Amino acid sequence: MDIAIRCRDLRKVYDGKPPVEAVRGLDLEVRSGECFGLLGPNGAGKTTTVEILEGILDPTGGEVEVLGLRWSGDHAGLRERIGVSLQETRLSEKLTVEETLELFGSFYRKGRPAAAVMEEVGLTEKRRAWVMKLSGGQRQRLAVACALVGDPDLLFLDEPTTGLDPQSRRSLWDIIRDLRRRGRTTLLTTHYMDEAERLCDRVAVVDHGKVIALGTPAELIASLRGEHVVEFAVNGDAGAGAGAPGDSGGGSIAGAPAATPAPLDPQSLLGVSSVKSARAESGSILLTVDEPHVAIPALLERLGREGHSLSRLTTRHASLEDVFVALTGRHLRDE
Amino acid sequence: MSRRHPFLLLVLARMRELMREPEVVFWVFIFPILLAVGLGIAFRNKPPDEIVVGVVDTAGSGPILAALTPAGGFAVEAVSAPEAAKRLRLGKVSLVVVPGARYEYRYDPTRPDSVLARQKVHDALQRAAGRADPIEVTETLITEPGARYIDFLIPGLLGMNIMSGGMWGVGFLLVDMRTRKLLKRLIATPMRRSDFLGAIMTSRILLVLAEMVLLLVFGRVIFHLVIQGSLWTITLLAILGAFVFAGLGLLVASRTARIETASGLMNLVMLPMFVFSGIFFSSDRFPAAVRPFVKALPLTALNDALRAAILEGADLPSQIGRILVMLAWGVLAFVVALRIFRWN
């Protein structure tokens, strides 16, 4: 299998006081024809990594090979073969969509006609509109179109849907899936776990400048050893620490000096059948479980036995977000 | 499919952007014309205004008032002594005459109008008292285009526009593209950087030429400006000016990451030249000690060269000194700017 991108022990330190270590020994291998996602919170080093791979930034250390070539070797040749959409590029406001694409197309030896690319990203109707008149989603589609106009072998999309409304995101996803179907290699970065899950063949989870997990979305979720999440809260515990049990005391009998059950320790639930992991989070307890139909009755029985009354319970499929939280203890969007 | 060269498309894109920007059209084409019209009217050549003289209204003022007639070009105000002093201080009168056994002239010798008024009043009073001029003269009056203020101004405005156009049109443009990450986006394509910078230069030169034609035609039609030099000479000087200030714009933009910093730097570069380089008044007015520095400024060289070409018909070889000053600035600016320019 062809390797489109390979990097070893990639490092980047930005000068400053103090110097910022954006990438700290990152290894990556992207295969030809796959859609590969770099998933991580803001500041994880995704953009720095991508810009090094794109030949825009020089790494402080490590080795980079793109399409089997090195940036120091065949810069011009490599430029012809990659397409780039940077995070938040503001293209010239007073050029039309068509003019912009013709301009970008002219830079490539095998540039494609603007019309074909506009068709591909659904901007044909807007061909004569100035960039300043486009909506956020249309601008982003134009940015992707500028990356496609050189007919690249490898496509880099840095946060292609950040800040877009759900409908615009979905229309961009369609475009990216379409590229995937036609066998183009795509590297995209995102801090949206649903985006990575839906679009990417494989995902590298990046945190603090390193890859902390790698695999298909399904593999990563399976690594939780439970593909479902059961999230619940019990009375008394919901406000644990805040000392306001009265707020959630719907089920308890007021005035009864009955023994308040001991606060629930998430780790004590690991014994419940089918529960693979447990953690507390903002007043709730989250369990990852193999089989909800086994775990939930067992859980209810256990809570009843210990005198906890349930105030809320939901279940859902585990997501890459859960993977990230399991790995780092933080949420993707925390920072 | 019409595949065109990236250089041509870059020039085309730049020109389209400029023409679609109302502010650019105003500053580049309308502003200099407005300035020329305004200043041309304010400083139009006209016969000297009548001379306003204050005469202190006491005994003995009668013969003075009789001698200073409107026909002689005088406007006389007979006022009290304190009032006369006040009007002189405020510049409402050029001269105050105090009657007496010996007339007293009160005036400020640093005011040209006062000095002129003193001569004219003195002559008129002496003649009225019977002085005869021993030599007879005849006067031939000549008012020639080329010596008027508007003639001086139009080459200066052209030079000024070449400077600010170059600084803004290159410096500001590049910093703006950098803050928008558009520079970074462009270098992520196989675009040749020489095509990109060449296109910016070319669009600058096209714009300068359009400005030049506009200002010269306007000056010719409205103010009857007489263009003595060859259009080729003027055109080459304008292109050289465009090159110099594009270089300085590039230098200002080479590392600047913020628009505010860029504006500050550009004003720092341009402000001294606005003052010293002879846009609105001749740079020869500055003391001899600072004149070598003033002459070494690129805009002084450009303005002087344009003026010599337009008003005196000077050719390029006769202006080699000014041309070398401009070339030195331009080449130095480009070499340094391209060496330190930050694309990402």
Side-chain angles (χ1 to χ4, degrees):
Chain A
M1 184 181 315
D2 276 0
I3 300 298
I5 300 174
R6 175 181 285 141
C7 70
R8 290 260 168 280
D9 196 27
L10 194 64
R11 289 173 190 278
K12 177 70 184 179
V13 180
Y14 289 107
D15 296 336
K17 294 171 194 166
V20 180
E21 267 189 281
V23 181
R24 321 175 179 207
L26 186 140
D27 299 328
L28 211 59
E29 240 179 50
V30 177
R31 299 168 192 153
S32 284
E34 75 177 340
C35 179
F36 189 94
L38 285 180
L39 175 69
N42 290 331
K46 303 188 298 288
T47 294
T48 303
T49 303
V50 167
E51 289 189 352
I52 292 170
L53 299 178
E54 290 165 347
I56 296 175
L57 285 177
D58 289 325
T60 311
E63 285 178 25
V64 176
E65 228 179 80
V66 179
L67 300 171
L69 301 168
R70 282 167 198 276
W71 281 109
S72 53
D74 189 6
H75 195 96
L78 209 39
R79 281 264 164 266
E80 294 279 350
R81 294 180 59 195
I82 68 165
V84 165
S85 163
L86 299 175
Q87 200 177 340
E88 295 169 27
T89 304
R90 280 149 50 222
L91 297 164
S92 300
E93 300 274 312
K94 302 227 162 153
L95 294 181
T96 67
V97 168
E98 189 172 26
E99 287 162 358
T100 304
L101 287 172
E102 275 176 357
L103 179 64
F104 275 86
S106 75
F107 300 148
Y108 297 86
R109 273 197 296 262
K110 48 172 186 168
R112 302 168 61 201
V117 185
M118 284 187 290
E119 194 59 44
E120 214 167 297
V121 300
L123 282 176
T124 306
E125 275 174 39
K126 291 282 172 187
R127 57 196 294 233
R128 295 194 196 288
W130 287 3
V131 171
M132 64 185 289
K133 304 277 185 199
L134 299 182
S135 70
Q138 289 164 341
R139 278 170 194 245
Q140 207 51 49
R141 276 186 275 156
L142 177 59
V144 173
C146 287
L148 290 173
V149 78
D151 200 15
D153 298 330
L154 171 60
L155 193 64
F156 292 94
L157 305 175
D158 196 358
E159 308 242 341
T161 68
T162 297
L164 297 187
D165 59 276
Q167 201 181 340
S168 303
R169 293 183 69 202
R170 243 167 270 130
S171 90
L172 258 168
W173 288 351
D174 288 341
I175 293 169
I176 296 168
R177 279 202 203 98
D178 207 38
L179 297 172
R180 159 87 187 77
R181 258 196 297 283
R182 280 178 288 147
R184 270 179 220 265
T185 314
T186 306
L187 174 68
L188 70 87
T189 74
T190 181
H191 59 257
Y192 296 118
M193 40 119 192
D194 55 338
E195 186 161 296
E197 257 174 80
R198 280 164 209 233
L199 294 180
C200 299
D201 299 309
R202 289 193 308 142
V203 172
V205 181
V206 181
D207 192 39
H208 294 310
K210 279 183 175 170
V211 174
I212 56 172
L214 177 74
T216 65
E219 283 166 2
L220 289 173
I221 290 167
S223 73
L224 292 170
R225 289 170 300 128
E227 296 193 3
H228 298 266
V229 174
V230 174
E231 184 175 350
F232 70 96
V234 293
N235 289 324
D237 267 18
D247 289 349
S248 51
S252 62
I253 300 155
T260 321
L264 197 55
D265 174 12
Q267 299 313 310
S268 71
L269 298 171
L270 286 176
V272 174
S273 56
S274 185
V275 171
K276 300 300 178 193
S277 77
R279 65 176 196 272
E281 190 182 294
S282 54
S284 300
I285 290 175
L286 277 77
L287 308 176
T288 53
V289 305
D290 267 343
E291 297 171 302
H293 66 279
V294 175
I296 291 173
L299 174 68
L300 294 178
E301 189 270 332
R302 166 81 173 273
L303 293 178
R305 184 149 40 84
E306 293 181 5
H308 294 284
S309 69
L310 205 57
S311 65
R312 184 162 58 85
L313 183 139
T314 59
T315 71
R316 58 178 167 82
H317 270 279
S319 69
L320 288 178
E321 177 91 17
D322 298 300
V323 175
F324 186 80
V325 174
L327 289 168
T328 67
R330 287 176 293 122
H331 280 272
L332 277 168
R333 310 291 303 276
D334 273 356
E335 285 138 306
Chain B
M1 182 178 74
S2 64
R3 287 274 290 145
R4 277 175 290 184
H5 194 275
F7 173 78
L8 286 181
L9 281 171
L10 281 164
V11 173
L12 200 59
R14 189 71 206 114
M15 295 310 283
R16 279 171 172 154
E17 278 184 276
L18 284 170
M19 292 307 143
R20 290 169 188 177
E21 199 76 64
E23 296 94 319
V24 170
V25 174
F26 175 80
W27 287 108
V28 171
F29 296 116
I30 301 181
F31 179 69
I33 295 291
L34 288 180
L35 213 53
V37 170
L39 293 171
I41 290 172
F43 295 98
R44 70 191 179 281
N45 283 47
K46 55 184 179 189
D49 291 327
E50 53 189 10
I51 295 166
V52 186
V53 184
V55 177
V56 175
D57 197 8
T58 55
S61 66
I64 299 175
L65 295 174
L68 303 176
T69 58
F74 297 103
V76 181
E77 300 175 357
V79 288
S80 66
E83 179 65 17
K86 183 177 157 200
R87 294 184 72 74
L88 182 64
R89 196 177 68 241
L90 295 176
K92 306 262 186 192
V93 298
S94 303
L95 175 80
V96 168
V97 183
V98 186
R102 118 198 320 246
Y103 295 164
E104 183 190 351
Y105 299 145
R106 292 184 184 158
Y107 67 101
D108 179 348
T110 65
R111 272 172 60 187
D113 61 312
S114 295
V115 175
L116 179 68
R118 190 240 169 248
Q119 298 313 7
K120 292 262 188 186
V121 165
H122 185 67
D123 277 354
L125 291 179
Q126 296 293 353
R127 279 202 197 108
R131 184 183 81 182
D133 293 326
I135 301 173
E136 283 196 30
V137 295
T138 57
E139 293 180 17
T140 310
L141 304 177
I142 298 160
T143 310
E144 238 184 314
R148 303 163 307 164
Y149 181 61
I150 189 71
D151 301 317
F152 180 85
L153 184 64
I154 284 190
L157 288 180
L158 181 55
M160 177 186 81
N161 245 28
I162 291 174
M163 171 176 75
S164 45
M167 299 295 287
W168 288 101
V170 176
F172 191 84
L173 171 79
L174 288 174
V175 177
D176 185 51
M177 289 178 89
R178 184 179 290 128
T179 60
R180 299 154 65 99
K181 298 195 186 167
L182 195 46
L183 272 187
K184 203 192 233 182
R185 179 63 189 86
L186 287 173
I187 61 156
T189 71
M191 180 192 76
R192 297 218 312 256
R193 294 171 191 195
S194 54
D195 278 349
F196 175 72
L197 292 177
I200 290 177
M201 282 299 300
T202 305
S203 66
R204 266 309 300 154
I205 287 169
L206 290 176
L207 214 59
V208 159
L209 294 181
E211 275 171 46
M212 182 190 81
V213 169
L214 185 76
L215 260 175
L216 292 182
V217 167
F218 175 82
R220 180 88 196 80
V221 171
I222 305 295
F223 289 108
H224 310 293
L225 175 76
V226 178
I227 298 161
Q228 306 280 1
S230 92
L231 280 176
W232 283 115
T233 302
I234 301 169
T235 304
L236 287 175
L237 286 172
I239 290 176
L240 177 59
F243 161 77
V244 172
F245 288 105
L248 288 172
L250 186 69
L251 185 60
V252 161
S254 55
R255 306 218 121 194
T256 314
R258 284 159 32 115
I259 287 287
E260 293 84 352
T261 319
S263 303
L265 277 176
M266 280 192 286
N267 283 325
L268 194 69
V269 172
M270 290 198 289
L271 201 65
M273 287 193 268
F274 273 124
V275 175
F276 291 112
S277 289
I279 298 171
F280 301 104
F281 57 88
S282 169
S283 56
D284 293 336
R285 292 205 176 203
F286 291 99
V290 298
R291 227 171 289 155
F293 299 101
V294 169
K295 293 284 178 202
L297 294 173
L299 185 60
T300 315
L302 176 62
N303 279 345
D304 289 352
L306 284 172
R307 242 171 226 136
I310 293 173
L311 304 180
E312 299 161 28
D315 57 7
L316 289 176
S318 68
Q319 306 222 55
I320 190 72
R322 289 162 184 158
I323 291 171
L324 286 178
V325 167
M326 284 192 270
L327 274 177
W329 279 100
V331 169
L332 192 73
F334 266 101
V335 167
V336 175
L338 289 179
R339 184 153 295 190
I340 66 172
F341 197 84
R342 196 170 271 168
W343 289 88
N344 53 16

